[in-house]
Amino acid sequence: MLLQHPDCPDLRALGPTLGDAVLRAEATAVEVENAAVRDEWTRLNEAEEAQEEGRGITRRTVLAGAGLTATTLLTSQFLNVRASFGATGTGTLIHVFLFGGLDGLSLVAPANDPVLTKVRPSFALPAGSSIPLARGFALNRAFEPLQKYLDAGELGFVPGVSDPRLSRSHFQCQDACELGGLPSETQGRGWLDVLTEKLGTGTAFRSIGVGSTLRRSLVGTQGALALRNLGALAINGDEKFRQPTADAIKTMFTGLDHPAAESVEAAVGALATASKISSVSYAPANGAQYPAGLGDGFKTLAQLIKGGANVRTAAVSMGGFDTHSNQGTNGGHLFNQFTQIAKALRAFFDDLGDARKDVTVVLSSEFGRRVAQNGGGTDHGHGNVVTILSGKKLASSLIGEWGGLGTLDNGDVPEFNNMFDVFGTVAQARFGLSAADVSAVFPKRKFAPLKMFA
């Protein structure tokens, strides 16, 4: 048998790699054995139903019965796609997680505030060169690339954002922020995963994590895809080899009424869509120029959105915000980080053009920093800022409650706006969700929407 001798010339001739060859050899065998396997599936399913009412045969049992253990390893990346490919829908919410604990007061702060002038002389935003916002606030001039969208009412900021369950631990806070609460409250599902479920079925690209690993906010039951770029979601090799391999994958799960069949069909469709979108060299529209790093992720999302992949939820991340020293608010490390963010967001919205009307981007971090500086940096604190960039016009450039810095919370910015109310308000406005749906996304928070959109 071919599979007993994986290095034999006959097997090698079937594909450009051993993996391709094994897939195609197994596909051929499955075509011959389909009838017998279908009979075995029926027999086992009837036996299990008799043993325990309502219990269906597991995918693992079917694949093992079909002799496809080796193939399972090769195709496992496709089996988590829970989507009916080709479904429709509009609107995209993108969550950008800024790891390390962003110093929100270095991005957005009340201008000429006497508390800030006294306790953070090196990091207070200069009144003369900062960008004015509503209600006497100022924005770091590193965000100048986004002035166009600020003037259009599409850029806004929510100050004093936190939650009582957040500590000063990076790990605990990152987990809670991405899950939408504590692990015990959310059963370990990310808030974007629960949100995706509320949106119903969609394409294989309806939930996307841009990066080498899937963001915690997307972990759960909805089968989000994780990819660095569209080229990563492809079958390697020349065109004459790629399509036969895709056909082989589909063949092995065609004609069998088992849970993997729909997933594989959706995944093969995703491969086809990715191949179609990436087959043409991508040229960003409207002169958009994406910076390296964060910009690469947004460029991939723009390709998918403009290519009709129907992305509903997406997660991107950026590190480098744990600024205990050499913070550089007004020139230096943090200023450069802000500049990269602003350039990436500007390029993304420029590139989308009118399509940006259906897109909202939310940027947040696990916690803020303490109000007073500590030498050349700042320590872990609370009361951070959330940034909103949305094609749906915002109510103001400064959103939510603000009670000032006259009374601090143990040296931190007080919580004037709850983090999960901010996320929930964006989700509700973007997708038309009910308050009950939002409460299901954040199960231990009594939802109190903000006045965020015009």
Side-chain angles (χ1 to χ4, degrees):
M1 185 175 179
L2 284 176
L3 295 184
Q4 292 175 330
H5 305 282
D7 291 321
C8 74
D10 289 341
L11 181 60
R12 287 288 188 181
L14 292 177
T17 69
L18 182 59
D20 288 90
V22 170
L23 280 171
R24 295 174 198 176
E26 293 244 21
T28 301
V30 168
E31 285 184 295
V32 175
E33 298 171 0
N34 252 355
V37 172
R38 191 178 296 109
D39 290 343
E40 180 68 4
W41 164 268
T42 302
R43 183 186 69 78
L44 290 173
N45 195 42
E46 289 176 349
E48 286 202 1
E49 286 180 351
Q51 183 179 26
E52 182 180 339
E53 183 179 354
R55 178 187 172 197
I57 189 167
T58 66
R59 172 175 31 183
R60 180 177 178 181
T61 302
V62 174
L63 295 180
L68 298 180
T69 304
T71 305
T72 305
L73 298 175
L74 293 168
T75 60
S76 60
Q77 61 180 309
F78 303 122
L79 300 183
N80 66 347
V81 182
R82 293 170 174 259
S84 51
F85 192 78
T88 59
T90 59
T92 305
L93 191 159
I94 301 168
H95 181 222
V96 183
F97 203 109
L98 306 175
F99 283 95
L102 166 71
D103 179 32
L105 289 173
S106 285
L107 179 62
V108 173
N112 301 315
D113 186 275
V115 174
L116 296 180
T117 301
K118 179 180 179 180
V119 302
R120 53 167 57 204
S122 302
F123 303 144
L125 296 178
S129 59
S130 299
I131 302 168
L133 298 177
R135 293 156 59 184
F137 271 66
L139 171 65
N140 195 303
R141 62 186 174 86
F143 261 44
E144 282 179 344
L146 287 169
Q147 184 73 57
K148 168 184 176 181
Y149 295 108
L150 178 65
D151 294 342
E154 298 178 17
L155 177 65
F157 305 87
V158 187
V161 177
S162 190
D163 184 271
R165 290 164 288 185
L166 300 181
S167 67
R168 287 186 174 83
S169 162
H170 289 293
F171 304 107
Q172 187 271 345
C173 290
Q174 289 167 9
D175 223 27
C177 292
E178 293 207 89
L179 294 177
L182 301 178
S184 60
E185 299 169 346
T186 61
Q187 288 73 53
R189 290 184 65 186
W191 73 272
L192 285 178
D193 181 76
V194 182
L195 173 60
T196 303
E197 182 180 41
K198 296 297 177 185
L199 300 180
T201 58
T203 72
F205 290 99
R206 65 179 181 150
S207 188
I208 293 289
V210 180
S212 56
T213 58
L214 193 64
R215 287 262 34 90
R216 190 82 163 98
S217 58
L218 291 170
V219 170
T221 65
Q222 299 305 297
L225 291 175
L227 69 159
R228 288 188 296 274
N229 51 61
L230 279 178
L233 189 64
I235 297 174
N236 296 325
D238 296 333
E239 178 59 36
K240 66 178 181 179
F241 285 115
R242 288 199 298 268
Q243 191 56 50
T245 297
D247 291 342
I249 294 169
K250 189 173 182 179
T251 295
M252 288 185 293
F253 297 91
T254 298
L256 294 175
D257 184 18
H258 62 76
E262 184 178 350
S263 293
V264 171
E265 183 178 358
V268 172
L271 287 169
T273 299
S275 177
K276 180 180 178 181
I277 295 174
S278 61
S279 63
V280 180
S281 179
Y282 185 70
N286 303 314
Q289 296 183 356
Y290 289 93
L294 185 64
D296 295 329
F298 275 106
K299 183 178 179 181
T300 294
L301 288 172
Q303 283 182 272
L304 288 168
I305 292 169
K306 293 167 65 178
N310 196 27
V311 179
R312 309 305 307 281
T313 58
V316 188
S317 61
M318 178 181 180
F321 293 94
D322 196 13
T323 51
H324 290 280
S325 62
N326 300 316
Q327 182 161 304
T329 293
N330 299 310
H333 174 72
L334 199 54
F335 183 88
N336 293 336
Q337 294 281 87
F338 291 155
T339 300
Q340 182 184 161
I341 292 171
K343 288 182 176 180
L345 294 178
R346 170 64 186 262
F348 182 54
F349 259 37
D350 283 354
D351 192 4
L352 290 180
D354 286 342
R356 76 180 189 278
K357 294 177 182 178
D358 288 327
V359 177
T360 298
V361 184
V362 179
L363 299 92
S364 67
S365 193
E366 65 261 41
F367 48 60
R369 319 295 290 192
R370 295 179 70 77
V371 174
Q373 70 181 71
N374 183 10
T378 48
D379 296 325
H380 300 177
H382 290 287
N384 210 346
V385 64
V386 171
T387 301
I388 312 288
L389 179 66
S390 180
K392 181 179 174 67
K393 191 172 181 180
L394 297 165
S396 174
S397 60
L398 195 82
I399 299 161
E401 299 296 324
W402 177 255
L405 298 173
T407 302
L408 301 183
D409 179 10
N410 193 31
D412 297 338
V413 178
E415 177 193 325
F416 296 118
N417 302 287
N418 184 267
M419 174 176 291
F420 303 122
D421 287 343
V422 175
F423 293 169
T425 300
V426 173
Q428 184 179 56
R430 181 76 277 166
F431 301 117
L433 299 178
S434 67
D437 283 335
V438 175
S439 295
V441 176
F442 307 105
K444 293 298 181 179
R445 172 68 193 174
K446 182 175 174 58
F447 179 51
L450 285 70
K451 175 60 177 175
M452 184 174 292
F453 293 93

